[in-house]
Amino acid sequence: MRDPLCAECTRLGRVSLATQRDHIVPLAEGGADDHTNEQGLCDDCHREKSLAEALTGRRRAGGGG
Ligand SMILES: [Zn+2]
């Protein structure tokens, strides 16, 4: 992996090893399925991002049932 550090932590001025590979733009949002759309995240950041995406997706997918 070219970027062994968590991208989100790096953005926040922290240094954490990336343990997860993450799609910057989710495939469901039209993101590319290649290395230009991938970043490394640590467990914490990956969990938070997944939660946020799950909430967004649920809101979008829920067609009033
Ligand atoms: Zn992180």
Side-chain angles (χ1 to χ4, degrees):
M1 209 188 288
R2 195 205 283 175
D3 206 355
L5 297 179
C6 171
E8 189 62 27
C9 285
T10 301
R11 209 170 290 149
L12 298 173
R14 302 191 304 222
V15 176
S16 298
L17 277 180
T19 55
Q20 309 276 344
R21 182 128 38 104
D22 180 66
H23 286 105
I24 298 169
V25 180
L27 300 183
E29 304 277 342
D33 189 13
D34 63 31
H35 69 93
T36 66
N37 188 37
E38 284 178 357
Q39 64 183 351
L41 291 181
C42 67
D43 283 339
D44 285 349
C45 290
H46 185 259
R47 194 181 311 127
E48 287 190 23
K49 189 166 187 288
S50 296
L51 276 175
E53 286 171 6
L55 289 176
T56 306
R58 193 180 305 162
R59 204 176 302 153
R60 188 169 301 176

